[in-house]
Structures are given as structure tokens and as C-alpha cells.
Amino acid sequence: MTERKGVSRARLVDYCDQILQSNRFKDYCPNGLQVEGRPLVAKILTGVTACQALLDEAVAWGADLVLVHHGYFWKGEPAAVTGIKQKRLKTLLGADINLLAYHLPLDAHPEYGNNARLGHLLGIDVQSGLEPGNPLSVGNMGVVEKPLALEEMVARIERVLGRTPQVVSGGDRKIHRIGWCTGSADRMVEQAEALGADAFLTGEISEPVVHFAREAGIHYIGAGHHATERYGVQALGEHLARHFGLEHRFVDIDNPV
């Protein structure tokens, strides 16, 4: 019988914890190993959220470990293991699959993070964090090489992300300096504006920030929570596959939000 190749779960998790510096973040959920499965990992399946559809794909593909940005056990959620939570955990435990999740650490990482990857894809050069003086800032400030009209930037985002963003115009100013934070970070538009940004990009939009953007004269672009956070987990999964000699597959479960 051929010996199955792979890396130990403990070694892989320890490696991720170290490169993402997960112990330095105060987060809304536990970062790292959330559900323990088999001790040897050869196949990693990645996705944005550990929803049932992603878990079903993991079982069908024979994954040893599921790596996501949005895992389980969020602060304030009911503790009882019933309903949807019971079904998800039963799927993982029944198939002996590990669940590894990183939230803020995966947003903030300068190479594999959601913000870093999105900025790279959109041609934005990082200059600083959105939180000056905070080395763990989860948002960034940067510049595009050539100032763009709002319509040009929106067209670029639509081309890269494959979806039409929600846009609030801040006037006729061109976009050179831009602040961005993937996911749900609408209130950080105020920090971006204070740092001199011409535009702010995030995933979602709320009613109050529409008025703030109009009155402050800063363009606001809501490009989708899911859509903006697809790239960090892919980059990390690809890195782990190369580093440890593993199989990796990313599954994009469609989400309009």
C-alpha cells in the first residue's frame, strides 16, 4: 500500500498562525483551527465562507482541510449546536475534515491578505494603513498610477471582480489617492477622507455613509462583501500548496452581497 503524502495538521496550523500573526489580533471569532479532523493534510479546499455548499464540495473532493475567511463561533451567536450549525459541524466531523479559519489576520496580511490582493488586482500601490501608527491595520491607503475619473475606476473594478458595484459620487474629482478595506467597513470612509482619499472602496454600504460621502466630497464604492474577499484565502491556499507540496482547490460559492 502506497504511503499517503502530506503535512501534519499541527505543522500546517502552526505555520499559518505564525505567518498571519493571528495571536496579535483582537477578533470577533477564534482564528486558527476551529474544527479538528484527520491529522494528515494532503488536500486543501479554500473558500470565503464555511457554508454548507462549500462543505459539501469538500466532502465530494475528498479534502482533508477546509480553509476559509469566515468560519464559525462568532461573538454573540447562540452557543447551542442545533439547526444549521449542527448540520455543518456534523458534515465536518463525519468526514473527519479540519476547518481552519482566519478573519482579521487574513484581511491585514501584507502579502496574502484580502486588502493586499485586491489592491494588487486593481493596480493600487499601498502607501500606508488606514489606521496610522497601527501595524495591524486591516485597511490600506494607496495611489493609482494615473488619476482616473470615477467612471474609469468603477469600470476597472467591474472588470476585475465581475460585478457592478454600488457607487455614491463625491463630485467631479478624479481618483488618485484611494482608501480601501474589504468586507464590511463602511465607517472607515471617515478615516479615508481624513487621510485625503479621493475615493473609498469596501464591500458594503449603509444609509448614513451615503450622506457622508456626498457632503464630504469623497467617492464611495461598495463592491460586494464576498466579491472583495475572494482573493486572500486563494493566495494563502496557493502558498500552502507550494510550500508543503499539497493539492489545493478554491471554490467560489456565489454570493450577491
Side-chain angles (χ1 to χ4, degrees):
M1 185 176 180
T2 303
E3 183 180 356
R4 191 164 182 264
K5 295 182 179 180
V7 62
S8 73
R9 176 191 60 237
R11 184 181 171 199
L12 186 146
V13 172
D14 183 62
Y15 179 80
C16 289
D17 286 343
Q18 288 188 38
I19 64 172
L20 295 177
Q21 303 182 72
S22 59
N23 64 337
R24 298 184 64 190
F25 289 83
K26 292 182 179 180
D27 213 333
Y28 315 104
C29 61
N31 287 294
L33 186 65
Q34 292 190 342
V35 178
E36 184 177 290
R38 60 183 66 102
L40 186 68
V41 176
K43 300 176 73 172
I44 298 176
L45 185 134
T46 58
V48 177
T49 299
C51 61
Q52 189 63 47
L54 187 72
L55 302 185
D56 291 342
E57 288 283 349
V59 173
W61 187 55
D64 303 302
L65 183 142
V66 173
L67 170 64
V68 296
H69 180 50
H70 300 139
Y72 304 151
F73 313 117
W74 299 90
K75 288 182 180 178
E77 75 172 30
V81 181
T82 58
I84 289 174
K85 180 187 285 188
Q86 186 268 356
K87 184 178 179 183
R88 290 176 174 181
L89 292 174
K90 185 176 181 179
T91 300
L92 287 166
L93 294 169
D96 207 17
I97 297 175
N98 298 281
L99 177 64
L100 189 58
Y102 293 98
H103 186 232
L104 293 182
L106 191 58
D107 284 320
H109 195 273
E111 183 174 357
Y112 308 120
N114 287 317
N115 289 292
R117 299 313 304 160
L118 183 62
H120 174 74
L121 289 169
L122 294 177
I124 307 171
D125 292 325
V126 177
Q127 290 190 319
S128 67
L130 262 177
E131 303 164 282
N134 179 8
L136 302 178
S137 175
V138 296
N140 291 331
M141 280 289 298
V143 297
V144 290
E145 183 177 355
K146 176 184 176 182
L148 300 171
L150 174 60
E151 295 77 14
E152 294 175 302
M153 176 58 80
V154 170
R156 179 182 294 189
I157 292 168
E158 188 169 356
R159 184 174 64 252
V160 171
L161 299 187
R163 61 177 293 158
T164 301
Q166 288 184 290
V167 179
V168 178
S169 173
D172 60 1
R173 67 195 291 180
K174 287 202 169 184
I175 298 172
H176 179 54
R177 286 177 57 77
I178 184 167
W180 75 102
C181 185
T182 64
S184 179
D186 58 319
R187 288 294 185 174
M188 293 187 86
V189 64
E190 298 180 21
Q191 292 163 252
E193 190 272 336
L195 292 172
D198 303 304
F200 178 69
L201 167 66
T202 186
E204 300 181 22
I205 187 167
S206 63
E207 195 273 346
V209 302
V210 173
H211 303 292
F212 178 87
R214 289 171 178 167
E215 294 171 30
I218 181 173
H219 302 304
Y220 188 104
I221 304 170
H225 193 137
H226 175 88
T228 58
E229 295 193 326
R230 289 178 293 193
Y231 306 104
V233 73
Q234 289 185 66
L236 181 58
E238 290 166 3
H239 171 71
L240 294 173
R242 290 192 301 269
H243 186 77
F244 292 111
L246 310 175
E247 289 186 66
H248 167 242
R249 179 185 170 208
F250 171 75
V251 176
D252 189 15
I253 304 297
D254 181 60
N255 188 324
V257 176

